[in-house]
Amino acid sequence: MSDLFGSTRTVVKLRYALFTPDGFVPSNLPGWKNAACVVNISPALGARFTQMHVTLGKEGTGEGNTGRYQHFFYVIEGAGTVGLEDKRHRLEPGSYVYLPPGKDMQIKNSSAEMRILVLQKPYEAQKTTPAPGTIVSHARDVKGQPFLGNEDARLQVLLPDQPAFDMAVNIFTYQPGATLPFVEAHIMEHGLLMLAGQGIYRLESDWHPVQAGDVIWMAPYCPQWFVAMGKTPASYIYYKDVNRDPM
Ligand code: UGY
Ligand code: MN
């Protein structure tokens, strides 16, 4: 199949955006070495968080301090390690790391190429609840629960659903033909990466075919719905702001 020049599925609107890998343009960012950092979603787009797709080349590294932000890393492909204050942890596809504000970290690639999803958000502290601690885990250790009773649409909640956390990161896996049960329209914002399969995403009043590798930003209140299509399950990992007063 050949794509006609000058065409793309990428679309940027006021309340949502779909980014397809053919349009990704890397930046060199402070702290990252031998790394291509594609900033897919950021405040420049109107979002209140940042979502990046980082590809580390041979012996590529990323290091720094989270400062007033919290960081979330999810390994899409390849292998390496993350050095934290306690020790170095091995990373493989499906590994994820949550870091609260003020933490030092160093990620090192030990494979030919390592691809990581990176989410960054300012942490909204609460007087009564201490900030969360660091989490290093793997998606296979988080059981998928049927979404609103549907066995064919399963949700893995990667971070504890507790008031200390002001962000959620979930993996949604749909069997072919399974759907979001209704068109959602909510105050929470989403950053989404398609991990596998394909389907149709409804965003506002538009319908977009999507597949593994695509990225979507949904602003607060953007009407949204999904149906998985094709012969294999579709899954996506997504960010959501949670547990804070809107005022
Ligand atoms: O958590 C959510 O809001 C989720 N159901 N949204 C989505 O998958 N677009
Ligand atoms: Mn939603």
Side-chain angles (χ1 to χ4, degrees):
M1 199 175 76
S2 74
D3 287 333
L4 182 63
F5 55 81
S7 66
T8 181
R9 290 184 297 109
T10 292
V11 51
V12 179
K13 300 241 176 145
L14 276 179
R15 305 209 59 76
Y16 79 84
L18 166 64
F19 297 104
T20 59
D22 56 292
F24 289 4
V25 176
S27 307
N28 289 318
L29 294 182
W32 295 94
K33 290 199 185 113
N34 195 11
C37 304
V38 179
V39 185
N40 292 126
I41 301 172
S42 71
L45 187 64
R48 289 168 299 165
F49 68 101
T50 297
Q51 178 172 327
M52 301 200 294
H53 186 280
V54 176
T55 305
L56 291 171
K58 240 178 171 320
E59 288 162 26
T61 56
E63 62 188 303
N65 183 283
T66 52
R68 70 187 181 91
Y69 298 91
Q70 54 200 321
H71 291 187
F72 181 93
F73 302 96
Y74 177 85
V75 180
I76 305 162
E77 197 178 273
T81 55
V82 61
L84 302 175
E85 55 200 6
D86 59 338
K87 61 171 190 164
R88 205 154 255 290
H89 303 258
R90 293 181 63 80
L91 298 174
E92 57 179 22
S95 296
Y96 65 92
V97 180
Y98 168 84
L99 296 175
K103 293 283 172 198
D104 289 325
M105 69 90 196
Q106 189 205 41
I107 290 188
K108 269 190 195 167
N109 175 26
S110 59
S111 56
E113 191 173 273
M114 191 183 186
R115 293 196 299 118
I116 321 169
L117 169 77
V118 181
L119 295 163
Q120 298 169 329
K121 177 188 187 291
Y123 181 67
E124 294 170 55
Q126 270 192 320
K127 282 199 188 98
T128 47
T129 320
T134 296
I135 295 174
V136 182
S137 189
H138 195 286
R140 72 171 160 252
D141 298 329
V142 181
K143 199 171 159 21
Q145 302 294 343
F147 187 68
L148 300 180
N150 184 355
E151 297 284 343
D152 288 340
R154 287 184 169 261
L155 197 66
Q156 290 166 276
V157 178
L158 302 186
L159 297 177
D161 185 12
Q162 291 166 3
F165 288 85
D166 66 2
M167 65 185 269
V169 183
N170 304 331
I171 297 179
F172 219 143
T173 302
Y174 300 76
Q175 295 307 309
T179 69
L180 264 183
F182 56 90
V183 181
E184 298 178 356
H186 50 59
I187 188 170
M188 300 79 111
E189 188 178 15
H190 288 321
L192 180 157
L193 169 69
M194 287 292 298
L195 292 174
Q198 53 191 355
I200 305 282
Y201 231 103
R202 177 191 165 141
L203 299 161
E204 292 194 311
S205 307
D206 306 325
W207 280 262
H208 293 277
V210 293
Q211 63 184 7
D214 291 350
V215 168
I216 299 173
W217 169 62
M218 293 171 237
Y221 301 110
C222 171
Q224 55 199 257
W225 180 83
F226 179 71
V227 57
M229 304 193 68
K231 293 201 160 84
T232 55
S235 87
Y236 54 76
I237 183 166
Y238 69 99
Y239 156 93
K240 181 175 184 174
D241 49 309
V242 292
N243 294 335
R244 291 296 179 270
D245 202 311
M247 297 295 281

